[in-house]
Structures are given as structure tokens and as C-alpha cells.
Amino acid sequence: MDSDSSSSSSSSTTSSSSTSSLPSSPSFTSPFKSGVMRYMLYLSQEDLERFKQLLVREQPEAGSTQITWDQVRTARWGEVVHLLTEYFPGHLAWDKAHHIFASMDKTQLCDRTRMELQELLPHLEPTGPPPRRALRTLEEEYPAMVQHYRKQVLDHYSDLVDGLAWPGNQADFFYQDILRHQRLLPCLFLPRRPHGRPPRTVVLRGVAGAGKTTLAHRVMLEWAGCTFYPHKAWCAFYVHCRHVAHDEEQSLCGLLSRQWPQAGALAAKALARPEQLLLILDGFETLALPLAHRHKDLREDWRRKLPVPILLASLLSGKMLPQASLLLLLRFSSWRVLKPLLSCPSVLTLSGFTAPERTRYLRRYFGDGRAADKAVDFLRGSAIPSSMCQAPAVCWLVCLCLKEPMERGADLFLAFPNAAALFARHLSNALVAAVGGLPGTLLQECLQGVCSLAAKGMWAARWVFGEKELERAQLGPEAADALLRAHVLQSVVRGEARYTFTLLSFQEFFAALWYVLRFPGRFPEFQKLDQAHVRRLLAQPGRRRNDLALMALFLFGLFNETCARAVGRSFRCEVSLGNKEVLSRTALWQDRLPTKHHGLPLLFYCLHETREEAFLAQVLQRCKQATLMVAKHRDLQVCAFCLRCCQRLREIQLVLTLTIHKAIPEGTNWRLCWWEELCMALALQELEALSLTNSVIELDTVQALSAALKSPRCQLHTLRLEGCSVTPTSMLEFAEDLSSNLKLKTLMVRRIYLKDEGACSLSKAQRERLALECCDYTLLSYQSLILNLSSNHRLTHLSLAGNALRPEGAKDLWSALQKAKCPLQRLVLRNCALTACCCWEAACALVQITTLQSLDLSFNSLTDEGLDQFCKTLENRNFGLQVLELEGCRLTSDCCQAVASLLLCHPSLRHLDLRKNDIRLRGVELLHQTFDQWKGDTRVVLERKQSCHVNVGLRLEGPRVDNKVLRILQDWDARPR
């Protein structure tokens, strides 16, 4: 794609001025969501050209130079924003943009500009003289030298496909541009919030194979063609760290000259003018030594030869050449290491192919016929291989593997049960073809050597291998040549004996295969895994990525017996499943399945790859509780499969953020199939408690879940729905289905909008415990709700917390509960907009409801007046209340006399919560006098307890009491002096 078409594609076709409404954010803004003036994106190409013409006519600030048409002729919207903030510092950039939009009659864009300026104004730098442009740029001073270098770059990068990573002899390989990556180019150095300054350092991070290096090559091509930030007088140099990975010392000038020998003189001149220097650094994972992190080790002199770790650390930290612009291409593992060195970097993430782009690739590879449909359906139904296809090269690899089985009509799901089977097919074909007619033992030498090399590299986080590493792996020259011909290995630098795996996933596969190979005549016959290795494979270090995760997936996949036999045949080797027992023992979970809040446990993905239910049941046999987040397509497939085998699972909290619909444009509806499978797995287990929290529950989702819960085998007795996005129609249907489930004893609904019919359906069933919290009904909704409650003969616990009952609703509720025949023990009316006038009716009801033992009235404006009335009404009455919670009820010391009287008259009270009230010294002294008068064996315990995260289940249950203890929750000192 050329720059003009890219510019056009990155501009909206919205060209009307004041009549059309602008979206709140563009559909692909997430990579640069912190950028400023993003509304420029909505200019059509025609309007953008008009904006640039008007910008050129603007008068420069004093001390600055006039903007020329050459500087903006090919500029895209992000580059125009960059130019604005450079030539018009501080608020002047927004003033100019506003003036131009007004000239173009763009009313909405004027409003956006004004609103953004008001938001950013406190953070913008004071308006001062703009930075003076250098008297002469490098291109103006050395035109022949720069033009020669530009031509050299164009020749070098004219073919975007890297000849090493993308084998040129693969006739069926084709390159597919990732449009989102193209759109990123003009926004790489987009000024960022809140200061509105362009970043000095930009980090592009992503998994191996996502397209980072290809995008960097595109930057170099655009720079050489004068279309990348054309107003900047940059001289761009791309440097891959593999060129210095084994150097002891190097200067920055030597580093650039080594990669660009014919531009050595230009590199020295550019380093002397760092404000005109753009350095693109790639391949940090190839470095043999970690970078220096101590500030005292960093140096400023770019001419001086330094150890490579110190040289690169000095450059990244800004100690060396602080005015230079840096673009860093990093894997996630490198990002974690380098992050402490970088000062305020702008971080963008490259995700590779999206699901639609993967589909487009498959259809382009196979055509639009039946073969393409089968391939697309297979990939959608194989969630793990599909997620790996974010890397374009892996997408091509999968296509290549599918081609032959499809031609002979094979079942693709049987041929390739997991990702390991796909990689085994490709790599075995490549290796056997490379060995060809060479001696028969060479294949086994290659296989054992490359597996050993890969495994040692994975454990040591080493991705580049020299002659010594190949010797230790017993890879001779002939074997190394065969691996190069098979495109398993590639030379790091041509002419040097240093190698890396063509794709990182190749190294991960062969590392896993190392622990499946069988070595006859050796004891043991396989390379044994120890438990420490297994724990490292399955570790989930917080939010960080486990760099061994894909190796773990391949390893478990290779222990699928069908896959293992296929590997033995295709690689012409013997395999051993001896390590499978080690995996099952080490991976065995105890009682609770500990998961992180951002996804499924890695173990679930690994177990899914084995596709063996008996093995899963053995590993998960002790799992009784689990918290699982289903956020991605692959999560749903994995979850559905694994939950079938959790035979002792009793409690599960599920977060479902996927949308599930019955109608899809084409192919099998795998998402609905997996959801129905997951629901039936929950129903068929002896599951007792299910929580669906912060989930998207569409009608189709509800119907599948309802069908499972109505199953005669379903043993569920507790269901919690909290914070779910659900339509009233779906909720009504779900509530009606639940009414037929007589085994369900506890229903908790919180932060879900309910209409009258939904509240009615949920409350009419004979539940023992019912919580309808923060459900946003209107007052009228309580008529049907309360009528149903009055007819419930089993209700023991009720919570209506967070609903605005107000005095009118509370009066109806108390009246209904007095008439009801249910054995109500716990009532929660926390934060229900109750006032002092509600207290008399509450006290009268307590006398009538003899079973009520626990009452929560916290966070209502009861005041001293209301509590005084409450206590006096109960003073000479009999009631069974043991728990009274009055947290945050706007009480003062004036209520303490009434509280003291209540405590003395009713010694059955065992728990009193007075936190977050304005009870001062006078009130505290009075209460302590009351405690001293307490008779009998009951002890008074004062506790200072912080309010914890809301747990609707615990709140519904209420505080536990000790018959020999009166527990007072308070936030004053234990006893006044």
C-alpha cells in the first residue's frame, strides 16, 4: 500500500461539517488511545488536504520558520498533528487547529478541539518560542550522501518479506498486509496525553511473529521514500541486536557502520545531530548478556567503545543521545526486562492477524470454494491453533498442513487433534525432505540434536546459538546444514556460525518433543522431567506472560496417544510417554483451583491439548472450587472440555464476557456449541453453587443455561448473578425457567436491572434465601414483589440492599412480612433510602416477626431521632433479635442512652454494629458504663473492623454470634481514659 492510499484509508469518509455526528472514538484507536487530536481521523481525504493547505498559509510564530507544502504534501493525520505540536507549542497548536476547522466550517471538530484544550490546558507546557529548526538539515548539507543511503535502504527493503523468516522457495506462501499495522505508521509518534508532547521513545511489543520486524521494515521504506513524518529531518537507521549479540565492546557509531557499511560516514554525522536521528532497534532477545541497569554504569559518549549491555542501556535510558528518537521492537519477555530503563515510553501492542484477517488469509489460500469453508470451520473449531495463527507465518503453516488431508477427504479434527499435531506434520515433512537421500542416521541426529538445543535454550531463555551450543547438542555440520535447508534454523548473520530458530514456535515445539523422544539402550529411555520443570511450565506469574506457555501446550499435546503415534511415524523415531506420570503428579490441584482474575489457568489449556478425559479426571480429581474468566473464543472451548472432567467440583464462579448468538453468518456455531456443552457439564456434575459475575448474558446464552438447570440431574442449590449485562426480556425468561427448579434454595441477584415482571418471577419461587440487591426497580415494582414474598413459606433470609425502598416501600414490606408465614431469620435493608419515620414500623414488625434474629439497617439516614424511637418501642416488648447492624446511620452521642437501655432490657442481643457514626467521648463513656453493668456470663468484646469487599453471600448469611459474647463493632478507642 502506498502512502496516499494509506492516508486515504486512515481518514474517515465523514466530510459533512456540522450536521453529521462524530463517533466517540474510532474503531481502531486502541493502540493510540492516549493520543491527542484523534478527531482529525474523521476528516475525509479531501478535507485533510484542505486542512493542510490552510495550515501552510498560517503565519509562523516569532523565531520559527514557515511550514512548507513539501512538509505536509504526503502527511497523514497523525503526522499533521505531530507537525502542529512542534511548530506551535503549548495551547497554540489547538488554537491553530480550531481556527482552521472554523475556516472549514467544521463545527463539531471546533467543539472537540475546544473541549480537549480545556481538559489538557493545566498540563500543557507554557507557550514559549518554538524550537528553532537547524540551520541546515543533513539532507540539505550532504544531499548526495543521504540520497545514496535512501536508495540503499529502498533496495534492501523493497521486498517486505524477510528472506530468512519467510522462505522464498515456498511457492504457495503469500504476504498479506495487516491493515491495522498500516494505520499505525502515521501515529507512532503521535503526541500523547496529558502533556501533548510527542514521545521520544516508542515501544512496539508483541508475540514472536506478530509482524513487528515487518512493520519496522515498512517504516524504513517509507522513510527512504520521504513519506514517513516528512516534516521531520530524520535520518533513520534500523539495527538488529543480532549483529552485536556476541561483541564484547562496540561504539554506537561502529554499530551503525557495521550494519550499514556504506553509510558509515553519514551515521557519524547523524550521531553528531541527535535531534535528526531516528534509531529503530530490534531483536533484543538475541543478546547474550543482560543490559546494565545501574545508573552509575551508563555513559554519554557515543564515540566511545563500551560493553554492549552498557552501550544499549545508555541509549535506551536517554543518558546517551537524549534528543534522538527511538523505535523499539520488543517481545513481551524483552519488554519486562527493558521497562525499568525507559523514561515515559509510548507503548503500542501488535496483535498480528485478527479472526477476520485469519479467515481472509485462508480464503485467499484455498479460494472461495468448499475447501476454504472446511479450513475456516476447522480453525474456528480448534481454538488453540486459531489463536496461534495471529502470527502470519503460523497461519501459512496451518494452511500447508491442511492441504493434503483435505484433498484426500480426511476428517481434519481427527487428523490434527491439537496444535502439536499440526507442527509435527509440517516439521517432519520439512526435515525428512531436507535429509533426502543422505545416510539414514542423519535424521535421528538432526532430530535429537535440534530437540536438545531447543530445550536447553528454552530453560535458559536463549534464542541464538553458536558453534559451542551446537557441539554440546551433538549437531555436526551436516546436520546443521540439513536443518538450514529445512528452514528449521536460520543464520543470524550471513557468513557467521550463529543460528536461531526460524520461528520461535519451532523452538518451543522441539523443546517439548525432547521430553517425548525414546532413546533405546539408555536408562531411563527418555529425558526425564522433574517437578521443578513442570511447575515452571505451568506457572502463572501475576499478569506477566509465561514464556514457557507454548512449550507446555506442545508437551501436553504430544502426550495425546494418537498424536504421539503420529509423531513416531512422521519423524521415524520412537516415542515415550514416561513423563506423562510426572505431569499428572505435579499438576495435581489441591481442593481449590487457584486462578488469576484475567483468564483461565494455563493448566486448563494444557489439559485440553491432551484431549484425554481420563487424564484430565486424574489431574483435576481434587478440584472442588474454581474461579474462571471466559473472555476469548479459546477460553470457552477449553473451559467446556475441562469442566466435564472436574468430577468433584462443588462451587464455581464464572465470568463470561463473550457474546453468544444462535445466528452466525457462516459455518458451525462453535461458540454456541461450546457454551451448551459447558452448561451441560455444570448440570451433570454434582455442582452445588454457581456464580455468574460481570458477564454478558444474551437470550441465547440464557436459554442454554436454563435448559441445563432444568435437567433432573442438576444438583445446584445456590445461584448468584452479579453485575451481568442482561436484557429484561432475557432476565424474565430466565426467572420463569428458574421457578421450576425446586432444588435451588438460594438465589442472589445483584447489580442487574430488573423490570416489574422480572422481580415478580424471581420472588414468587419458594426459595429459602433470596437477595435482590441494587436492581434499580421503581417503587411500584414492590407491589408485585412484596405480594410474592408474603406467600413464600420457606424464606429464611432476605436482602433488598441497595434499592431505594423509601418509607412508603418499607411500610408495605413490613406489613407483608408480618402477615407472611415464612420463618424469616435475616433481613437486610442496607442502603434502602430509609429515614427516621421508618423506625417505629420496623420496631413494631420485630415484635410480630418472632423468628427474625438478624437485621441490617446500615447506611440509611435513621438519625438519633429514629433510633431513639426504635429503641423505646422495643424497650418493654419481647423479640428475638440477636444481630443489629447500624453502620453509617448518621448517629451521634445523643442516641447512646437509648442504645444503652435497649442493651440492658434485652440481653439476647449478641452483635451490634455502630461503625461510621459520629459517636464521641460522651456517648462512648455512657456505653462503657452500660457494659460494666452487664450481668451474667456474657462478655463484651469491642472490635475495630474495616469494611471489606462486598460479598453478597456472606451479607445474606449475616454475622455469626456467640451466645456468651456481646460483640460491638466500633471505630472509637477500646475504652476512654
Side-chain angles (χ1 to χ4, degrees), residues 248-250 290-302 304-320 341:
E248 293 185 2
E249 287 190 341
Q250 186 63 273
L291 300 192
H293 279 72
R294 296 187 304 176
H295 184 73
K296 66 178 184 179
D297 293 333
L298 305 180
R299 298 291 182 267
E300 297 181 6
D301 189 359
W302 55 268
R304 180 178 172 185
K305 279 195 172 185
L306 297 168
V308 170
I310 294 177
L311 172 66
L312 293 176
S314 301
L315 184 61
L316 298 185
S317 66
K319 182 77 171 178
M320 182 185 293
L341 280 171

Side-chain angles (χ1 to χ4, degrees), residues 35 110 147 256 315 349 394 400 486 532 674 743 814 821 838 864:
C110 286
Q147 287 304 316
L256 299 184
L315 184 61
T349 300
V394 176
L400 190 63
W674 295 331
K743 296 177 184 177
W814 287 120
K821 299 179 180 180
C838 302
D864 295 335

